[in-house]
Amino acid sequence: MPNRPSSFADHQSPPYKDTQYASTYNSQDRLQSYRPTTAPSQDTPQYNALPIQRPQESSGNATTHNTPPLTQAPDPLTRAFNEVLKPYLEKIDRLQAEIDDKNLDIQQLEEERADMHAWIDKRGLRADVPASIAAAMNSDSTSAQTLAHHLDRKMTILNHDLHRLQDSLSSHLPTSTFTTTLATLLPAIESLSTLPHGAPLAFELLIKLGGNLNSHGGEEGYNNDGDIASRAEFYSRLDETMVEVVRRRLEHPDEEDQPWMVGRDVKRLEKTGGFLRSKIGLQAYFPRSLDVMRYEVKRGEVGINGRGGGNVSPQ
């Protein structure tokens, strides 16, 4: 007879049920009495039972997230959306590439412009450049000092050229030749006065420009009516430019490196005017400019103590 393994370690093995022979009711009932009436415990080994898989417990403080399943869009709908979007994406990429190319072109042009400005400044030609180029060159903070330096250099060159021309002739040049040549610097000086910190520099250049005219001509030229008229007309133009320069200096005292000693400059101009009056008979030397400056000194708003500001009344 085969041995059947016991289902319970501490109990007597139940009698074997012989299926080859008919069992009586009592034997079957007796066999059922040996079956457990309660569910076996977890520690009791079970035979012919499927294993139960238990979820592993997470260790530490890790928390489990129950991510809901994503609902995927139908493929036809996604494909149709991508097809509609594709030309716009291609256009964006094309425009981005064009922007990158333009940025490179702009960078190259800026480098070329910087090289051109450096070339102009190296040769002292800023005063002669066209207005469009001058506007770009005058955008930096040191443009006034650079332009004033170039104007002073150009004024010196013109003065030397006129001197050499005068020395090569047996008679003096007409004063109109000098005034016409020197007057070419007036527009650039006017532009200088409009730049930040440019008005004081323009003021000194105008005085120097008048002094260059005074250094030319012989004694016989001073008494010529044509020369006297040309000289008076030139100083009248200087005075018109100087009035605007003086007004700008008074309206923007913050652009002065040091407080403007207006009274001292009034005395300087009066002294030069007195010399020209006795030497060549020049009756008016910056008359309107001196009126504005004297008025400000008298008011006490801008004077020897260097106090600045205020409106300029004289016309």
Side-chain angles (χ1 to χ4, degrees), residues 164-203:
R164 286 194 297 267
L165 181 59
Q166 175 68 70
D167 295 340
S168 65
L169 299 175
S170 57
S171 60
H172 78 284
L173 285 173
T175 303
S176 59
T177 302
F178 296 101
T179 58
T180 303
T181 304
L182 296 176
T184 58
L185 299 174
L186 288 178
I189 296 177
E190 292 175 355
S191 299
L192 172 63
S193 66
T194 61
L195 299 178
H197 306 281
L201 301 173
F203 182 88

Side-chain angles (χ1 to χ4, degrees), residues 9-183:
D10 298 332
H11 297 80
Q12 184 179 1
S13 300
Y16 176 72
K17 178 180 178 180
D18 191 359
T19 58
Q20 296 181 358
Y21 304 97
S23 300
T24 61
Y25 171 80
N26 292 335
S27 63
Q28 292 292 332
D29 183 64
R30 195 180 308 112
L31 179 60
Q32 294 292 336
S33 64
Y34 287 96
R35 295 177 180 176
T37 58
T38 60
S41 63
Q42 183 177 358
D43 297 334
T44 304
Q46 301 292 324
Y47 297 94
N48 299 329
L50 295 175
I52 300 176
Q53 185 177 3
R54 303 176 184 273
Q56 298 181 355
E57 295 181 358
S58 59
S59 60
N61 296 328
T63 58
T64 59
H65 300 278
N66 296 326
T67 304
L70 298 177
T71 304
Q72 185 176 3
D75 289 343
L77 180 60
T78 304
R79 191 180 306 111
F81 177 78
N82 292 335
E83 290 297 331
V84 173
L85 195 61
K86 183 177 180 180
Y88 296 98
L89 296 176
E90 293 177 351
K91 185 176 182 180
I92 291 175
D93 294 339
R94 184 171 64 256
L95 292 176
Q96 184 63 44
E98 292 179 0
I99 291 175
D100 295 339
D101 294 339
K102 295 300 181 182
N103 288 334
L104 292 176
D105 294 340
I106 292 174
Q107 182 178 359
Q108 183 179 0
L109 291 175
E110 289 179 348
E111 293 175 356
E112 293 177 357
R113 182 181 65 177
D115 294 340
M116 180 185 64
H117 291 177
W119 186 91
I120 292 173
D121 288 341
K122 184 177 181 180
R123 286 154 181 82
L125 302 176
R126 179 175 289 205
D128 300 320
V129 297
S132 58
I133 299 178
M137 298 185 70
N138 294 335
S139 60
D140 60 285
S141 58
T142 60
S143 59
Q145 290 79 3
T146 304
L147 180 57
H149 175 73
H150 290 185
L151 285 172
D152 184 79
R153 179 176 181 271
K154 184 177 181 179
M155 190 184 304
T156 302
I157 293 174
L158 290 177
N159 190 37
H160 289 171
D161 291 341
L162 290 172
H163 268 296
R164 286 194 297 267
L165 181 59
Q166 175 68 70
D167 295 340
S168 65
L169 299 175
S170 57
S171 60
H172 78 284
L173 285 173
T175 303
S176 59
T177 302
F178 296 101
T179 58
T180 303
T181 304
L182 296 176

Side-chain angles (χ1 to χ4, degrees), residues 193-194 199-200 243-256 260 262 292 296 299 301-302 307-315:
S193 66
T194 61
V243 168
E244 298 302 324
V245 172
V246 170
R247 292 182 184 276
R248 181 168 180 82
R249 291 191 70 175
L250 297 176
E251 292 173 356
H252 300 277
D254 56 314
E255 295 184 359
E256 303 283 342
W260 184 22
V262 183
V292 174
E296 291 301 319
R299 289 181 58 189
E301 295 181 2
V302 178
R307 292 177 294 148
N311 299 324
V312 182
S313 300
Q315 298 297 327

